């Protein structure tokens, strides 16, 4: 799924059926449902989930926790605007 299709889907009541757990978490976050996004990604341990976990904690303002998850994802701590990072993650996972 490309970024524009992902963003267009945010107007729906439910995420598209074919989204991975990672993209579903980002979908809920983009709709302002941070807790639901975090709940979806909480138990996952792969690198993509860790990247999303880092993004979510950065968005929350917990920089220390975010840095931990960026490290687990093998990524440098992001300092870009959150929307740019969201687009980057969606593009990478899409």
């Amino acid at each position: 799924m490309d970024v524009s299709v992902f963003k267009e889907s945010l107007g729906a009541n439910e995420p598209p059926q074919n989204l991975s757990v990672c993209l579903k978490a980002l979908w809920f976050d983009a709709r302002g449902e941070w807790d639901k996004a975090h709940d979806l990604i909480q138990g996952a341990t792969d690198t993509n989930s860790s990247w999303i976990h880092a993004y979510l904690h950065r968005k929350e303002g917990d920089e220390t926790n975010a840095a931990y998850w960026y490290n687990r994802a093998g990524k440098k701590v992001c300092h870009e605007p959150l929307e740019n990072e969201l687009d980057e993650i969606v593009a990478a996972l899409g």
Side-chain angles (χ1 to χ4, degrees), residues 21-26 28 33-54 56-57 60 62 65 68-69 72:
V21 170
C22 289
L23 286 172
K24 277 185 186 176
L26 292 173
F28 282 111
E33 297 182 61
W34 187 95
D35 288 327
K36 193 164 190 170
H38 189 261
D39 288 346
L40 278 172
I41 215 69
Q42 181 77 23
T45 58
D46 62 279
T47 56
N48 289 334
S49 298
S50 293
W51 188 12
I52 294 165
H53 212 146
L56 290 172
H57 283 292
E60 177 190 35
D62 187 346
N65 202 358
Y68 167 81
W69 287 104
R72 288 210 37 181

Side-chain angles (χ1 to χ4, degrees), residues 29-30 32 34 54-63 66 82:
D29 175 68
W34 187 95
Y55 163 82
L56 290 172
H57 283 292
R58 185 169 85 93
K59 187 172 187 177
E60 177 190 35
D62 187 346
E63 296 295 328
L82 287 164

